[in-house]
Amino acid sequence: MTLHIPFDNSYAALPDSFYSRVEPEPVKDPSLIAINEPLARELGIDGLDDPMLAAIFAGNAVPDGASPLAQLYAGHQFGQYNPQLGDGRAVLLGETVGKDGIRRDIQLKGSGRTPYSRMGDGRAWLGPVLREYVVSEAMHALGVPTTRALAAVRTGERVVRERPLPGAVLTRVAQSHLRVGTFQVFAARGDIASLQTLFDYAVARHYPEATDPATFLDAVMRRQAALVAQWLSLGFIHGVMNTDNCSISGETIDYGPCAFMDSYHPATVFSSIDRFGRYGYAAQADIIVWNMAQLATALLSLMPDPEASVEAFTAKIHAMPEMIRAEWLSRFGKKIGIAQAVPEDATLITNLLALMEDSETDFTNTFRGLVDGTARDLFADPTGFDQWTETWTARIDGEDDPEGAMRAANPVLIPRNHRIEEMIQAAVNGDDSLFHRLNAAYAAPYEDAPDYEDLRRGPLPTEVVQATFCGT
């Protein structure tokens, strides 16, 4: 049966200034690593037994109805504005409206050069492709808004990074690839007509309740506040929260040097290029406010009187930290069994985090240990934890189902850095079994899973991952 993707493209109907028409570059010898069949069915895709499947998801054959293009955007990268970025190694094939009624993009990542590639080769190597596949699907199973992975394909070619490495292509699915940087590029150019077109498109696609740029900003901020608070509650570190990696839809996007914390420390940084901790674990709450300030600046141009709107927009941005704190309190309250946390509960939560930091206990295992009674064993000197437990027990005594709240908020399994690295090294050597095992394990991260008990363990000293890399 021939593969059928029910394309229904809208972005390609926007003016040419929004993108460049480009087709993916064919590769030498495509071979399929994985196809996400449940996601394919959700998207209404048929014909997954097509012998051309690997060729299609490698970019060698463009499916009927696709309208390939590379999107234009700009962005602040580590605080420095780059006036033109764009999809330098990705091609948007088109969009589908899934069985759930949600419109989503289907994009090939690592599919060759585009007009925005600059000095890059437009390719991706196998490691980052598998990392994004595993971590994005794990994030989905954890309940985090995220892009998804539809397929991964080896190219049969080598790409040169620090050394020749096996090439691969990821097929990524997102509610859209509109970014803060998409708004920035037109605002910076003074192209108000295109900015208005983009705004109207984003409202129709993501926020139909928004009536003007001010209410649109409010809606985007709410989603971003909730998203970052959820990241923090899981110990997730995005690693490269540039404005071009900040999705308007409120999805986690661009899994480059991402990582999950093992031992809790709020200043944890993994990204090799984040030398000053701009995008470290705890800094994410501040940087999303900064990113939203850049969006607000771009949107001001659409207000009837931009100068008169500065004060109102500034007030919105200044109110965002409290919005994040409220989301953080709700998330972390549930992690200790409180269904509806109140401001006074913040002290109880932060006291536990301080004990965890002092003892360097594992973030995920400590919180899950509150459910199964193993948390105390993680503290070398449990005296402080015992004292905290007395206060905590008294606080949750009146809760209807504290254990249920904790089980739903505290995963058993997360994609740990050392397991991801182990999986990548095996795949480089031609063994995909660990890749498939991790995908199976992370599909139900909140359930006790004896078969995957080894994946709960934090890294041994020799397994600690000191830094992560963009690497695509």
Side-chain angles (χ1 to χ4, degrees), residues 45-117:
I45 297 175
D46 298 319
L48 296 181
D49 56 351
D50 188 337
M52 290 290 292
L53 208 62
I56 290 169
F57 289 119
N60 284 26
V62 176
D64 292 342
S67 186
L69 57 86
Q71 293 181 320
L72 169 69
Y73 47 85
H76 278 89
Q77 298 181 306
F78 290 88
Q80 300 299 311
Y81 184 67
N82 190 323
Q84 181 171 300
L85 295 169
D87 291 331
R89 57 173 170 265
V91 171
L92 175 65
L93 290 180
E95 306 152 29
T96 66
V97 178
K99 294 179 179 179
D100 54 6
I102 297 175
R103 177 178 294 274
R104 295 180 179 88
D105 288 352
I106 299 179
Q107 181 196 70
L108 299 183
K109 190 173 180 181
S111 55
R113 288 181 55 81
T114 79
Y116 312 116
S117 295

Side-chain angles (χ1 to χ4, degrees), residues 126-247:
L126 180 64
V129 165
L130 297 187
R131 174 187 290 272
E132 180 158 349
Y133 194 113
V134 170
V135 178
S136 63
E137 285 304 296
M139 290 284 271
H140 173 70
L142 287 163
V144 181
T146 178
T147 59
R148 302 282 306 277
L150 178 60
V153 176
R154 282 184 172 83
T155 63
E157 299 176 347
R158 294 275 169 172
V159 297
V160 179
R161 296 299 180 258
E162 68 280 3
R163 57 190 172 88
L165 294 162
V169 177
L170 175 77
T171 303
R172 181 164 71 182
V173 173
Q175 291 196 26
S176 85
H177 286 84
L178 300 180
R179 309 154 188 267
V180 171
T182 318
F183 284 80
Q184 287 182 287
V185 69
F186 295 121
R189 292 177 176 182
D191 185 351
I192 306 305
S194 293
L195 186 63
Q196 183 67 56
T197 298
L198 174 64
F199 170 76
D200 293 340
Y201 180 83
V203 167
R205 186 158 178 176
H206 294 300
Y207 300 101
E209 73 280 8
T211 56
D212 58 16
T215 55
F216 176 79
L217 178 63
D218 288 339
V220 176
M221 287 170 54
R222 282 193 297 270
R223 285 197 193 175
Q224 293 293 342
L227 178 65
V228 169
Q230 196 168 9
W231 288 357
L232 296 175
S233 76
L234 294 168
F236 177 75
I237 304 167
H238 184 278
V240 61
M241 289 176 65
N242 297 327
T243 57
D244 56 292
N245 295 334
C246 188
S247 168

Side-chain angles (χ1 to χ4, degrees), residues 366-418:
T366 300
F367 278 106
R368 187 67 184 195
L370 298 178
V371 179
D372 57 28
T374 61
R376 185 179 189 274
D377 299 337
L378 301 177
F379 292 84
D381 179 2
T383 304
F385 179 76
D386 290 341
Q387 294 172 347
W388 178 86
T389 299
E390 292 180 8
T391 306
W392 170 57
T393 302
R395 170 62 182 88
I396 64 173
D397 184 55
E399 291 289 315
D400 290 338
D401 185 16
E403 181 178 334
M406 290 189 290
R407 285 187 178 277
N410 296 314
V412 177
L413 299 175
I414 56 167
R416 294 186 179 271
N417 305 322
H418 65 295

Side-chain angles (χ1 to χ4, degrees), residues 439-464:
N439 281 317
Y442 301 147
Y446 294 98
E447 297 177 11
D448 292 317
D451 289 346
Y452 302 117
E453 187 66 24
D454 58 305
L455 300 180
R456 293 191 64 178
R457 176 180 62 79
L460 299 173
T462 56
E463 297 173 321
V464 172

Side-chain angles (χ1 to χ4, degrees), residues 209-464:
E209 73 280 8
T211 56
D212 58 16
T215 55
F216 176 79
L217 178 63
D218 288 339
V220 176
M221 287 170 54
R222 282 193 297 270
R223 285 197 193 175
Q224 293 293 342
L227 178 65
V228 169
Q230 196 168 9
W231 288 357
L232 296 175
S233 76
L234 294 168
F236 177 75
I237 304 167
H238 184 278
V240 61
M241 289 176 65
N242 297 327
T243 57
D244 56 292
N245 295 334
C246 188
S247 168
I248 293 299
S249 68
E251 294 176 291
T252 312
I253 190 172
D254 290 326
Y255 291 89
C258 66
F260 284 79
M261 277 195 303
D262 294 304
S263 297
Y264 174 71
H265 195 292
T268 299
V269 176
F270 281 101
S271 172
S272 63
I273 56 175
D274 191 2
R275 296 183 179 88
F276 302 104
R278 178 180 176 87
Y279 301 140
Y281 169 76
Q284 295 176 123
D286 293 329
I287 205 64
I288 195 60
V289 176
W290 194 91
N291 285 355
M292 290 298 97
Q294 310 319 306
L295 176 62
T297 300
L299 290 172
L300 274 172
S301 302
L302 297 179
M303 296 298 287
D305 188 342
E307 290 188 11
S309 301
V310 169
E311 184 176 351
F313 274 40
T314 300
K316 291 179 185 294
I317 297 301
H318 285 172
M320 192 177 181
E322 183 55 40
M323 189 187 305
I324 298 171
R325 280 192 288 271
E327 294 283 355
W328 179 94
L329 180 63
S330 176
R331 289 281 175 187
F332 275 84
K334 291 178 175 64
K335 288 179 77 67
I336 63 170
I338 303 171
Q340 299 292 332
V342 296
E344 292 75 19
D345 293 320
T347 300
L348 185 62
I349 297 165
T350 55
N351 284 348
L352 175 59
L353 291 172
L355 290 169
M356 291 167 59
E357 182 180 357
D358 289 343
S359 297
E360 298 183 342
T361 64
D362 187 274
F363 182 86
T364 300
N365 290 344
T366 300
F367 278 106
R368 187 67 184 195
L370 298 178
V371 179
D372 57 28
T374 61
R376 185 179 189 274
D377 299 337
L378 301 177
F379 292 84
D381 179 2
T383 304
F385 179 76
D386 290 341
Q387 294 172 347
W388 178 86
T389 299
E390 292 180 8
T391 306
W392 170 57
T393 302
R395 170 62 182 88
I396 64 173
D397 184 55
E399 291 289 315
D400 290 338
D401 185 16
E403 181 178 334
M406 290 189 290
R407 285 187 178 277
N410 296 314
V412 177
L413 299 175
I414 56 167
R416 294 186 179 271
N417 305 322
H418 65 295
R419 296 302 187 188
I420 296 290
E421 291 301 321
E422 180 184 34
M423 174 269 294
I424 290 172
Q425 289 307 311
V428 167
N429 293 322
D431 179 4
D432 293 337
S433 62
L434 293 182
F435 167 77
H436 293 296
R437 184 171 189 256
L438 293 187
N439 281 317
Y442 301 147
Y446 294 98
E447 297 177 11
D448 292 317
D451 289 346
Y452 302 117
E453 187 66 24
D454 58 305
L455 300 180
R456 293 191 64 178
R457 176 180 62 79
L460 299 173
T462 56
E463 297 173 321
V464 172

